[in-house]
Amino acid sequence: MARRKLVAGNWKMNGNRAALAELVLIAEAARAAPGVDVSIALPATLIAPAVALVPGFAFGGEDVHAAESGAHTGCLSAAMLAEAGASFTIVGHSERRADQGETSQDAWAKASAAHRHGLGVILCVGETDAERDAGRAARVVQAQIEKSVPDLATGDWLTLAYEPRWAIGTGRTPTLDEIGEVHAIARAKLRTLVGDAADGIRILYGGSVTGANATAILETEDVDGALVGGASLTAAKFVPIIEAA
Protein backbone atom coordinates (compact mmCIF):
# COMPACT_ATOMS: atom_id res chain seq x y z
CA MET A 1 0.00 0.00 0.00
CA ALA A 2 1.11 3.58 -0.58
CA ARG A 3 2.53 5.28 2.49
CA ARG A 4 3.37 8.98 2.68
CA LYS A 5 7.01 9.76 3.26
CA LEU A 6 7.88 11.17 6.69
CA VAL A 7 11.01 13.20 7.36
CA ALA A 8 11.45 13.58 11.11
CA GLY A 9 14.18 15.61 12.81
CA ASN A 10 15.65 14.98 16.25
CA TRP A 11 17.54 17.88 17.78
CA LYS A 12 18.81 15.81 20.72
CA MET A 13 20.55 17.99 23.38
CA ASN A 14 21.04 20.90 21.02
CA GLY A 15 19.37 24.22 20.36
CA ASN A 16 18.12 27.30 22.16
CA ARG A 17 15.50 29.95 21.50
CA ALA A 18 17.75 31.72 19.01
CA ALA A 19 17.95 28.51 16.99
CA LEU A 20 14.17 28.41 16.58
CA ALA A 21 14.50 30.76 13.61
CA GLU A 22 15.62 27.68 11.64
CA LEU A 23 12.20 26.16 12.23
CA VAL A 24 10.50 28.97 10.33
CA LEU A 25 12.56 28.13 7.24
CA ILE A 26 12.00 24.39 7.69
CA ALA A 27 8.24 24.91 7.99
CA GLU A 28 8.25 26.93 4.77
CA ALA A 29 9.97 24.05 2.98
CA ALA A 30 7.46 21.60 4.46
CA ARG A 31 4.55 23.67 3.13
CA ALA A 32 6.21 23.58 -0.30
CA ALA A 33 6.21 19.77 -0.18
CA PRO A 34 2.58 18.91 0.61
CA GLY A 35 3.05 15.26 -0.30
CA VAL A 36 5.58 14.76 2.51
CA ASP A 37 5.02 14.77 6.27
CA VAL A 38 7.65 16.70 8.24
CA SER A 39 8.14 16.81 11.99
CA ILE A 40 10.84 17.68 14.51
CA ALA A 41 11.44 16.36 18.03
CA LEU A 42 12.86 19.08 20.26
CA PRO A 43 14.35 19.40 23.73
CA ALA A 44 11.44 19.82 26.14
CA THR A 45 12.37 23.44 26.90
CA LEU A 46 11.80 24.40 23.26
CA ILE A 47 8.50 22.68 22.48
CA ALA A 48 6.13 25.39 23.72
CA PRO A 49 8.03 28.32 22.17
CA ALA A 50 8.36 26.40 18.90
CA VAL A 51 4.61 25.73 18.80
CA ALA A 52 3.97 29.43 19.43
CA LEU A 53 6.40 30.46 16.69
CA VAL A 54 5.26 27.96 14.04
CA PRO A 55 1.67 26.92 14.83
CA GLY A 56 0.39 23.91 12.98
CA PHE A 57 3.80 22.29 12.52
CA ALA A 58 4.34 18.86 14.09
CA PHE A 59 6.69 19.20 17.05
CA GLY A 60 7.41 16.35 19.43
CA GLY A 61 9.35 15.22 22.45
CA GLU A 62 12.59 13.26 22.37
CA ASP A 63 11.48 10.90 25.14
CA VAL A 64 8.64 10.37 27.60
CA HIS A 65 8.15 8.61 30.92
CA ALA A 66 5.80 5.63 31.13
CA ALA A 67 4.14 6.79 34.36
CA GLU A 68 1.28 9.26 34.57
CA SER A 69 2.96 11.21 37.38
CA GLY A 70 4.99 10.65 40.52
CA ALA A 71 8.46 10.71 42.02
CA HIS A 72 10.43 10.65 38.77
CA THR A 73 12.78 13.62 39.06
CA GLY A 74 13.72 15.17 35.75
CA CYS A 75 11.22 13.16 33.70
CA LEU A 76 8.17 14.23 31.69
CA SER A 77 4.87 12.42 31.34
CA ALA A 78 2.92 12.10 28.11
CA ALA A 79 0.30 14.49 29.48
CA MET A 80 3.01 17.10 30.11
CA LEU A 81 4.32 16.78 26.56
CA ALA A 82 0.82 17.09 25.15
CA GLU A 83 0.14 20.17 27.27
CA ALA A 84 3.34 21.76 25.94
CA GLY A 85 2.01 21.28 22.41
CA ALA A 86 3.81 18.11 21.34
CA SER A 87 1.97 15.88 18.88
CA PHE A 88 4.35 12.91 19.12
CA THR A 89 7.38 11.57 20.92
CA ILE A 90 10.40 9.40 20.17
CA VAL A 91 10.89 6.29 22.33
CA GLY A 92 13.61 3.66 22.42
CA HIS A 93 16.25 5.81 20.73
CA SER A 94 19.61 4.08 20.57
CA GLU A 95 21.21 6.80 22.66
CA ARG A 96 18.63 6.25 25.41
CA ARG A 97 19.24 2.51 25.24
CA ALA A 98 23.03 2.95 25.37
CA ASP A 99 23.38 5.90 27.76
CA GLN A 100 20.41 5.33 30.08
CA GLY A 101 20.26 1.54 29.88
CA GLU A 102 16.71 1.53 28.55
CA THR A 103 15.23 -1.76 27.39
CA SER A 104 12.68 -2.74 24.79
CA GLN A 105 10.21 -3.28 27.63
CA ASP A 106 10.78 0.35 28.66
CA ALA A 107 10.10 1.44 25.08
CA TRP A 108 6.86 -0.59 25.07
CA ALA A 109 5.65 1.07 28.27
CA LYS A 110 6.56 4.55 27.03
CA ALA A 111 4.90 4.01 23.65
CA SER A 112 1.76 2.75 25.35
CA ALA A 113 1.65 5.77 27.68
CA ALA A 114 2.14 8.19 24.81
CA HIS A 115 -0.67 6.56 22.82
CA ARG A 116 -3.05 6.79 25.79
CA HIS A 117 -2.58 10.55 25.72
CA GLY A 118 -3.08 10.90 21.98
CA LEU A 119 0.57 11.30 21.03
CA GLY A 120 2.09 9.73 17.96
CA VAL A 121 5.14 7.54 18.55
CA ILE A 122 8.38 7.05 16.65
CA LEU A 123 9.73 3.78 18.03
CA CYS A 124 13.44 3.17 17.38
CA VAL A 125 15.17 -0.18 16.93
CA GLY A 126 18.63 -1.13 15.72
CA GLU A 127 21.73 -3.19 16.28
CA THR A 128 25.23 -2.33 17.53
CA ASP A 129 28.32 -2.74 15.39
CA ALA A 130 29.30 -5.86 17.36
CA GLU A 131 25.87 -7.39 16.79
CA ARG A 132 26.06 -6.69 13.06
CA ASP A 133 29.59 -8.08 12.81
CA ALA A 134 28.36 -11.24 14.53
CA GLY A 135 25.59 -11.63 11.95
CA ARG A 136 22.88 -10.94 14.51
CA ALA A 137 21.40 -7.70 13.11
CA ALA A 138 18.17 -9.33 11.93
CA ARG A 139 17.58 -11.22 15.16
CA VAL A 140 18.27 -8.16 17.30
CA VAL A 141 15.86 -5.98 15.34
CA GLN A 142 13.17 -8.67 15.35
CA ALA A 143 13.48 -9.12 19.12
CA GLN A 144 13.33 -5.38 19.76
CA ILE A 145 10.21 -5.04 17.62
CA GLU A 146 8.54 -7.98 19.35
CA LYS A 147 9.20 -6.53 22.81
CA SER A 148 8.63 -2.84 22.00
CA VAL A 149 5.56 -2.65 19.76
CA PRO A 150 2.33 -2.28 21.76
CA ASP A 151 -0.61 -4.58 21.06
CA LEU A 152 -3.00 -3.47 18.32
CA ALA A 153 -0.60 -0.80 17.06
CA THR A 154 -1.56 0.89 13.80
CA GLY A 155 0.00 3.36 11.43
CA ASP A 156 -2.39 6.03 12.66
CA TRP A 157 -0.10 6.60 15.62
CA LEU A 158 2.96 4.33 15.41
CA THR A 159 6.02 4.78 13.21
CA LEU A 160 9.03 2.46 13.38
CA ALA A 161 12.55 3.80 12.87
CA TYR A 162 15.46 1.51 12.04
CA GLU A 163 18.67 3.13 13.22
CA PRO A 164 21.77 0.96 13.29
CA ARG A 165 23.59 2.24 16.37
CA TRP A 166 26.95 2.24 14.63
CA ALA A 167 25.67 4.71 12.02
CA ILE A 168 24.39 7.35 14.46
CA GLY A 169 26.45 10.51 14.08
CA THR A 170 29.41 8.68 12.58
CA GLY A 171 29.01 9.52 8.91
CA ARG A 172 28.82 5.77 8.21
CA THR A 173 25.71 4.26 6.66
CA PRO A 174 24.81 0.70 5.73
CA THR A 175 24.67 -0.15 2.06
CA LEU A 176 21.31 0.29 0.35
CA ASP A 177 20.96 -3.49 0.20
CA GLU A 178 21.58 -3.75 3.95
CA ILE A 179 19.02 -1.02 4.67
CA GLY A 180 16.44 -2.67 2.41
CA GLU A 181 17.07 -6.09 3.94
CA VAL A 182 16.47 -4.92 7.51
CA HIS A 183 13.42 -2.87 6.55
CA ALA A 184 11.90 -5.93 4.87
CA ILE A 185 12.65 -8.01 7.97
CA ALA A 186 11.07 -5.33 10.16
CA ARG A 187 7.95 -5.21 7.98
CA ALA A 188 7.59 -8.98 8.12
CA LYS A 189 7.97 -8.99 11.90
CA LEU A 190 5.33 -6.28 12.24
CA ARG A 191 2.94 -8.44 10.22
CA THR A 192 3.34 -11.31 12.69
CA LEU A 193 2.41 -8.93 15.52
CA VAL A 194 -0.36 -6.74 14.11
CA GLY A 195 -1.40 -8.47 10.88
CA ASP A 196 -2.49 -6.35 7.94
CA ALA A 197 -2.13 -3.18 10.05
CA ALA A 198 1.62 -3.54 9.49
CA ASP A 199 1.17 -2.33 5.93
CA GLY A 200 0.10 1.07 7.26
CA ILE A 201 3.01 1.50 9.67
CA ARG A 202 5.81 3.61 8.25
CA ILE A 203 9.39 2.45 8.73
CA LEU A 204 12.00 5.19 8.69
CA TYR A 205 15.74 4.86 8.28
CA GLY A 206 17.93 6.79 10.70
CA GLY A 207 21.71 7.10 10.84
CA SER A 208 23.84 9.79 9.17
CA VAL A 209 21.17 10.78 6.64
CA THR A 210 22.21 13.82 4.58
CA GLY A 211 21.03 15.70 1.55
CA ALA A 212 23.66 13.84 -0.46
CA ASN A 213 22.47 10.31 0.35
CA ALA A 214 18.79 10.91 1.09
CA THR A 215 17.42 10.28 -2.40
CA ALA A 216 19.03 6.86 -2.73
CA ILE A 217 17.99 5.83 0.78
CA LEU A 218 14.42 7.03 0.36
CA GLU A 219 14.04 5.17 -2.95
CA THR A 220 14.92 1.89 -1.23
CA GLU A 221 12.06 -0.61 -0.88
CA ASP A 222 10.15 -0.36 2.42
CA VAL A 223 11.92 2.88 3.44
CA ASP A 224 9.10 5.29 4.22
CA GLY A 225 11.18 8.25 5.33
CA ALA A 226 14.07 9.29 7.52
CA LEU A 227 14.81 10.04 11.16
CA VAL A 228 17.44 12.77 10.96
CA GLY A 229 19.76 13.90 13.74
CA GLY A 230 22.46 16.50 13.18
CA ALA A 231 21.26 17.49 9.73
CA SER A 232 17.90 18.60 11.19
CA LEU A 233 19.46 21.43 13.20
CA THR A 234 19.60 23.83 10.26
CA ALA A 235 17.35 24.47 7.30
CA ALA A 236 20.35 24.42 4.98
CA LYS A 237 20.98 20.73 5.78
CA PHE A 238 17.44 19.57 6.52
CA VAL A 239 15.53 21.06 3.61
CA PRO A 240 17.43 19.04 0.95
CA ILE A 241 16.26 15.88 2.71
CA ILE A 242 12.65 17.11 2.60
CA GLU A 243 13.10 17.86 -1.10
CA ALA A 244 14.54 14.39 -1.68
CA ALA A 245 11.46 12.84 -0.05
Side-chain angles (χ1 to χ4, degrees):
M1 66 180 295
R3 293 177 293 270
R4 286 171 59 89
K5 297 293 190 188
L6 168 62
V7 178
N10 176 19
W11 277 22
K12 306 186 181 183
M13 199 172 71
N14 296 293
N16 52 31
R17 285 179 180 257
L20 295 181
E22 296 292 334
L23 298 177
V24 176
L25 301 175
I26 290 170
E28 289 176 356
R31 285 192 292 270
V36 178
D37 292 332
V38 182
S39 62
I40 295 184
L42 295 170
T45 55
L46 297 180
I47 295 173
V51 170
L53 181 66
V54 192
F57 190 87
F59 294 111
E62 297 176 3
D63 186 47
V64 67
H65 199 280
E68 297 291 313
S69 62
H72 305 289
T73 302
C75 299
L76 295 174
S77 69
M80 291 173 174
L81 285 180
E83 185 178 54
S87 60
F88 74 96
T89 186
I90 298 173
V91 302
H93 193 279
S94 63
E95 290 160 357
R96 298 289 306 181
R97 293 176 187 260
D99 299 343
Q100 277 74 38
E102 293 187 1
T103 66
S104 293
Q105 290 85 349
D106 293 328
W108 178 92
K110 291 180 175 188
S112 299
H115 178 50
R116 286 196 300 272
H117 286 273
L119 296 178
V121 173
I122 296 178
L123 170 63
C124 301
V125 297
E127 81 282 1
T128 65
D129 51 354
E131 289 165 340
R132 172 160 284 276
D133 291 344
R136 298 181 57 234
R139 281 176 288 170
V140 168
V141 169
Q142 289 171 322
Q144 288 176 344
I145 292 172
E146 182 171 354
K147 295 175 182 177
S148 300
V149 172
D151 298 338
L152 304 178
T154 70
D156 292 338
W157 64 273
L158 182 72
T159 297
L160 197 69
Y162 167 58
E163 42 160 32
R165 296 195 199 185
W166 48 273
I168 306 297
T170 64
R172 297 171 58 201
T173 57
T175 66
L176 298 178
D177 286 344
E178 289 170 335
I179 292 172
E181 178 185 18
V182 176
H183 276 243
I185 289 168
R187 178 78 60 201
K189 185 62 180 179
L190 283 172
R191 287 196 184 102
T192 69
L193 297 175
V194 300
D196 291 343
D199 291 332
I201 296 175
R202 292 184 284 199
I203 305 177
L204 314 182
Y205 170 76
S208 297
V209 178
T210 67
N213 63 22
T215 296
I217 291 173
L218 293 170
E219 287 178 342
T220 301
E221 184 74 17
D222 267 318
V223 175
D224 302 312
L227 179 58
V228 183
S232 69
L233 292 170
T234 65
K237 292 184 178 180
F238 195 51
V239 169
I241 300 172
I242 297 173
E243 292 173 342

